[in-house]
Amino acid sequence: MSSPSSIPPPTGTSKTHFPSDSSLPGERFEVRQTHPTGDYTPIPSKSFPLSAARQALVEDIIALYEMKPTVSRVRRYAPDCVYNDQFVYADDRYKMAGQWFALPKLFRSAESRGYQVVTNDRDLIQFRHEEAWTFKIIPKTAVINALVSLSLDPATIDSDFIRVKYHKDQANDKDYSNEGLGATFKKWQADNVVKYMDSPEVKEFEADKGSGKEPRPTYGSGGKEGDAPVKDL
């Protein structure tokens, strides 16, 4: 059990993980890590406290997971952001918007069943998250426990509206290699879904297409040898 002195203050610790230059592309803000077990079951009662601005950010992200996208919530991301999970690699805010607004076409419902903030550093918030997804066509619910990492835009860390440079969602012990057939499919999916989204909300972000991009980093492995050190969060 953590002692009171080991709990980060609501504003976060002073530890930094990423560059301080906000003009650098989102790819430069990727956290790399593996986990001893891949068990990310949240214990909400042990969640670190957050400042009002950080709490508002996490609540907006949770609302997106619950299929409640709005233009304001998608603006939580920098134009050159990256979103990386098991199924998607979206490398700008336009593609990101396409993903969030497309979810209701695939799922009947999405329920956040709890989260636990486990990292509250100067430029990184991480929380364990349990989400129940009910498919639209097949009446089946999948419950996924994952570690969500939000790399914060250094230009907005001290503002009332904090933005995200890199959003990673990991549901197992290994990190992503960002290469191979799986990675190719993830990027293809993000590149193409947005082409079929004709909603005015997604068009709000059309100017962000291709913002500040550079080649996707690859690691050869999702393990320690792929620059993903073991972290027991």
Side-chain angles (χ1 to χ4, degrees), residues 34-189:
T34 60
H35 188 272
T37 66
D39 180 6
Y40 300 120
T41 305
I43 305 175
S45 63
K46 294 186 177 181
S47 187
F48 292 156
L50 297 173
S51 67
R54 288 174 175 239
Q55 185 64 40
L57 168 64
V58 169
E59 288 178 1
D60 275 345
I61 299 300
I62 294 292
L64 288 170
Y65 274 105
E66 292 194 312
M67 299 197 306
K68 301 171 185 173
T70 65
V71 168
S72 178
R73 284 172 177 152
V74 175
R75 290 196 192 284
R76 281 295 190 176
Y77 296 93
D80 60 348
C81 67
V82 174
Y83 177 90
N84 194 359
D85 72 7
Q86 300 173 84
F87 310 107
V88 176
Y89 187 93
D91 57 1
D92 61 46
R93 191 166 60 181
Y94 177 53
K95 296 175 190 175
M96 169 83 77
Q99 294 297 313
W100 289 125
F101 283 99
L103 285 179
K105 298 181 181 296
L106 300 174
F107 298 96
R108 181 174 300 171
S109 66
E111 176 192 1
S112 175
R113 294 186 173 178
Y115 68 88
Q116 174 192 357
V117 176
V118 293
T119 300
N120 185 24
D121 291 337
R122 173 73 177 159
D123 57 2
L124 177 67
I125 296 173
Q126 294 178 301
F127 59 90
R128 299 173 183 234
H129 183 217
E130 182 168 293
E131 181 85 4
W133 300 94
T134 300
F135 296 92
K136 204 162 194 176
I137 299 175
I138 304 172
K140 182 179 178 181
T141 298
V143 178
I144 298 176
N145 288 295
L147 177 69
V148 177
S149 300
L150 305 176
S151 305
L152 308 182
D153 179 355
T156 65
I157 286 175
D158 296 313
S159 73
D160 291 332
F161 194 81
I162 301 171
R163 298 194 304 179
V164 175
K165 276 285 201 175
Y166 202 112
H167 180 155
K168 180 176 282 187
D169 185 310
Q170 293 173 257
N172 55 43
D173 57 322
K174 285 193 173 183
D175 207 332
Y176 304 117
S177 68
N178 292 346
E179 59 183 274
L181 289 176
T184 298
F185 171 78
K186 284 166 47 168
K187 191 171 187 308
W188 178 89
Q189 195 268 101

Side-chain angles (χ1 to χ4, degrees), residues 18-31:
F18 311 110
S20 59
D21 184 355
S22 181
S23 68
L24 293 174
E27 288 86 352
R28 305 281 186 94
F29 294 80
E30 180 186 4
V31 63

